[in-house]
Amino acid sequence: MQDNKPNYCKVIVSNHNFETTPSADILVSLFKEIISSGADIVKIVTTAESITDVWKLFQILAISQVPTIALAMGEHGLISRLLCPKYGGFLTFGSLASGKESASGQPTLSDMRNAYGLQHVNKQTKVYGIIGKPVGHSKSPFIHNAAFRKVGHDGIYVPFLVDNVKDFLNVYNTSDFAGFSVTIPHKETALECCDEVDPLAKAIGAINTIVKRRNDGKLIGYNTDCEGAISAIEDGLRGMISSTGGSPLMGRYFVVTGAGGAGKALAYGAKDRGAKVFIANRNYDRAKSLADSLGGEALSLDQLNAFCPVNGMILANTTSLGMHPNISETPIAKDALRNYSLVFDAVYTPRYTRLLREAEECGAIVVSGLEMFIRQAMMQFSLFTGLNAPEQVMREKMASTSSYL
């Protein structure tokens, strides 16, 4: 092949696997075979069935002595495109616009440059990201990457579509991967994967932040959901009633829908502030287990519409009901919302859920999940970097990426 090639040309020899990602050994053999064909540039494209498949491609880039393109198609493979410059990939691909992708999992060129800042990524860049399933809806990459650039921190924050947290953390265990946000459905499982857990997070039984400690590489778990949500709710109440010192949650009836990681954080935080906590969940046994651990009371989600021991209660929804694309769903009937003085919804896509809209129509103060989101993100940023979070930049980026929601 090289004999017939003009001197000014470079030959790319490629192999595409549209079904799977082969084993590391097979990929190495394929890589050597392509080189032996006389290729100036090697291109290997696979289909990622799990995010751990992408690590095999990063290892190909690590051993390569010739220009190499190694990418994985599919949503699980997105990080192969975003971390290409860190691992020395010859090039990556982006679409001209959303909906015009030439391969599954391809980001837009605009997002690659403006949201992720790929032009600034190098071998020394630290990697952060959000672990979840689903994760494509998250605004965290927009917020954290803008914050990194503002303070001059050499980091990139990417979405990790993770099926199994333990497998993910075992594979992506190098010092390059410095910290993770954790979202649905992994907040409780991730806690068990940490070497150490902050006392608050341990008491809650769920984490939303993992930091790799610099001096020994141990994984440390934290929960910033609790303070992020509770402080937002308290500020909402302070705008409604005159403050007499202490928390405005003291003595209030506080109803939490959902008993997962976020539900535990809200319930624990409310109890700590002196509220009387009730847990409503589709699975009553799960609700009772959480309620018993806090000295609270349990309800089934079906009982919520008729629950009214007092007026002026607080409702905090931590279920995914109402989240895009199922925006017509809500955990409670509109008429029942008249019993609440404040309603909080952890869902922030869309920004104003059906629950918040109907609560406002019933006269309640409403607190969007966006406020919890930005507050917990600021605390995460400080844990990741050791720096104060650039609040204005993070809020501005949150507003600009959520204006259509």
Side-chain angles (χ1 to χ4, degrees):
M1 178 173 61
Q2 292 285 353
D3 294 340
N4 300 321
K5 185 192 71 173
N7 292 333
Y8 54 84
C9 291
K10 297 289 186 182
V11 175
I12 300 176
V13 178
S14 65
N15 180 280
H16 286 67
N17 189 319
F18 293 95
E19 295 181 357
T20 188
T21 298
S23 69
D25 289 342
I26 291 176
L27 286 173
V28 169
S29 296
L30 176 62
F31 175 74
K32 292 178 178 178
E33 182 180 350
I34 292 175
I35 290 178
S36 67
S37 72
D40 295 303
I41 300 166
V42 176
K43 182 181 180 184
I44 297 175
V45 180
T46 69
T47 299
E49 298 175 282
S50 165
I51 198 164
T52 55
D53 284 339
V54 182
W55 185 251
K56 304 171 192 175
L57 298 177
F58 289 157
Q59 295 305 101
I60 291 293
L61 292 174
I63 66 171
S64 175
Q65 299 298 312
V66 300
T68 300
I69 304 164
L71 301 171
M73 295 180 287
E75 191 177 357
H76 286 99
L78 174 61
I79 63 168
S80 70
R81 303 172 185 277
L82 298 179
L83 299 182
C84 169
K86 176 171 177 60
Y87 288 97
F90 181 68
L91 58 81
T92 185
F93 297 85
S95 67
L96 294 177
S98 180
K100 295 187 177 181
E101 299 84 359
S102 59
S104 174
Q106 197 175 79
T108 65
L109 289 172
S110 175
D111 280 351
M112 293 168 81
R113 290 186 59 83
N114 300 325
Y116 296 100
L118 258 65
Q119 65 273 29
H120 305 300
V121 175
N122 55 70
K123 291 184 178 180
Q124 286 70 48
T125 300
K126 294 295 184 182
V127 180
Y128 306 83
I130 180 165
I131 297 170
K133 184 182 181 180
V135 76
H137 68 284
S138 177
K139 305 304 174 189
S140 293
F142 297 92
I143 308 307
H144 282 285
N145 284 319
F148 288 161
R149 290 196 292 272
K150 177 64 178 179
V151 303
H153 182 70
D154 187 9
I156 182 173
Y157 186 106
V158 300
F160 295 109
L161 178 61
V162 173
D163 303 304
N164 185 298
V165 178
K166 184 176 180 180
D167 289 347
F168 170 79
L169 293 173
N170 283 340
V171 170
Y172 293 89
N173 61 1
T174 69
S175 60
D176 287 331
F177 293 84
F180 308 101
S181 307
V182 184
T183 190
I184 296 171
H186 299 311
K187 294 186 179 187
E188 295 166 277
T189 305
L191 182 148
E192 301 171 3
C193 299
C194 292
D195 299 301
E196 297 178 18
V197 179
D198 178 75
L200 173 65
K202 185 176 292 186
I204 293 169
I207 63 171
N208 75 321
T209 310
I210 299 174
V211 176
K212 183 167 291 183
R213 196 158 57 195
R214 292 179 181 86
N215 63 347
D216 59 11
K218 288 187 175 182
L219 300 179
I220 316 301
Y222 299 89
N223 191 304
T224 66
D225 280 337
C226 179
E227 187 60 29
I230 293 298
S231 64
I233 292 170
E234 287 179 320
D235 286 349
L237 288 172
R238 290 189 181 105
M240 181 179 66
I241 59 176
S242 58
S243 177
T244 57
S247 173
L249 289 174
M250 179 67 70
R252 304 294 292 262
Y253 278 48
F254 195 104
V255 180
V256 178
T257 59
K264 288 182 175 181
L266 267 292
Y268 183 91
K271 177 69 175 179
D272 184 62
R273 299 298 211 271
K276 183 174 177 58
V277 178
F278 299 84
I279 310 296
N281 194 57
R282 184 174 285 114
N283 184 318
Y284 177 80
D285 290 340
R286 190 171 170 86
K288 190 172 188 330
S289 176
L290 176 56
D292 287 348
S293 70
L294 293 162
E297 297 184 28
L299 306 165
S300 70
L301 205 56
D302 293 337
Q303 293 176 289
L304 192 58
N305 290 338
F307 181 70
C308 184
V310 297
N311 286 318
M313 297 183 292
I314 296 163
L315 178 67
N317 175 47
T318 68
T319 74
S320 60
L321 293 171
M323 180 184 290
H324 181 82
N326 302 311
I327 61 175
S328 64
E329 295 181 346
T330 181
I332 186 172
K334 181 177 181 178
D335 287 346
L337 291 170
R338 303 185 189 281
N339 303 319
Y340 296 89
S341 59
L342 182 144
V343 174
F344 164 82
D345 197 344
V347 172
Y348 65 88
T349 51
R351 180 172 187 172
Y352 286 106
T353 59
R354 176 185 169 186
L355 172 64
L356 293 186
R357 186 176 65 252
E358 292 182 345
E360 197 166 41
E361 290 169 357
C362 290
I365 298 292
V366 297
V367 178
S368 168
L370 283 177
E371 189 58 35
M372 169 190 175
F373 174 84
I374 199 67
R375 295 184 187 212
Q376 64 82 29
M378 289 168 58
M379 288 183 273
Q380 284 184 335
F381 179 91
S382 295
L383 289 169
F384 290 155
T385 65
L387 304 171
N388 291 328
E391 180 175 357
Q392 183 177 349
V393 167
M394 296 177 79
R395 286 188 177 276
E396 287 175 353
K397 183 57 67 172
M398 184 77 253
S400 67
T401 58
S402 302
S403 60
Y404 65 93
L405 296 175

